[in-house]
Amino acid sequence: MNCYCGNNKSYKACCEVFHLNGGKTETAQQLMRSRYSAFVLANGDYLMSTHHKSTRPSSEKKAIVKWATSVEWIKLDIQDTTKGLENDNEGTVTFSAYFYESGTMDVIHEKSAFVQENNHWFYLGYAKD
């Protein structure tokens, strides 16, 4: 079975590596993909630890986990990535995350901003155009 994030690797060879190493990814897109897999698995600790401290909604962890388990995740579709490579300090990933909620298909479409600090990528939030 392919990883939840849509890569042609198994979860164990893909996102689980980042879930076990605290989110130490090489690129912003890898972090985005691993965060999607964390939503599928309702891994609130990972979602909090990879969310930049300046924008982290720590008090909302339980609500995020509750919502993540209440929906049926379908797939992640990455549309665009700007910067976000090893030598960059910032980057964006535009994606659509499809899921069923109460029997109706829905989608989260977002252009996410990421920042790299101390060789570690973090999710900042919505990117400003």
Side-chain angles (χ1 to χ4, degrees):
M1 187 177 118
N2 291 346
C3 188
Y4 305 107
C5 77
N7 275 335
N8 291 330
K9 299 178 189 175
S10 68
Y11 167 69
K12 192 172 193 66
C14 191
C15 289
E16 185 180 49
V17 172
F18 307 123
H19 291 171
L20 294 175
N21 76 9
K24 186 86 171 88
T25 62
E26 293 176 11
T27 68
Q29 188 181 121
Q30 281 179 333
L31 184 63
M32 171 63 237
R33 288 180 175 279
S34 70
R35 285 178 54 81
Y36 173 82
S37 289
F39 270 103
V40 172
L41 298 169
N43 184 341
D45 291 336
Y46 186 80
L47 292 168
M48 289 299 124
S49 69
T50 56
H51 199 129
H52 193 268
K53 62 183 178 271
S54 68
T55 56
R56 184 181 303 146
S58 301
S59 62
E60 295 176 34
K61 178 181 163 186
K62 283 184 183 175
I64 290 168
V65 168
K66 183 177 179 183
W67 178 76
T69 57
S70 75
V71 302
E72 180 186 343
W73 296 96
I74 302 169
K75 71 173 184 170
L76 175 67
D77 181 27
I78 305 282
Q79 284 98 32
D80 190 36
T81 303
T82 56
K83 297 185 180 178
L85 301 175
E86 277 187 88
N87 296 327
D88 295 322
N89 292 325
E90 59 186 30
T92 65
V93 179
T94 304
F95 70 93
S96 295
Y98 297 87
F99 59 94
Y100 284 111
E101 186 168 22
S102 303
T104 305
M105 191 174 95
D106 205 349
V107 62
I108 297 169
H109 181 74
E110 181 179 318
K111 181 177 183 181
S112 297
F114 295 86
V115 63
Q116 185 173 203
E117 292 179 351
N118 301 317
N119 297 316
H120 208 99
W121 283 101
F122 294 96
Y123 169 71
L124 272 177
Y126 298 107
K128 295 170 180 55
D129 288 323

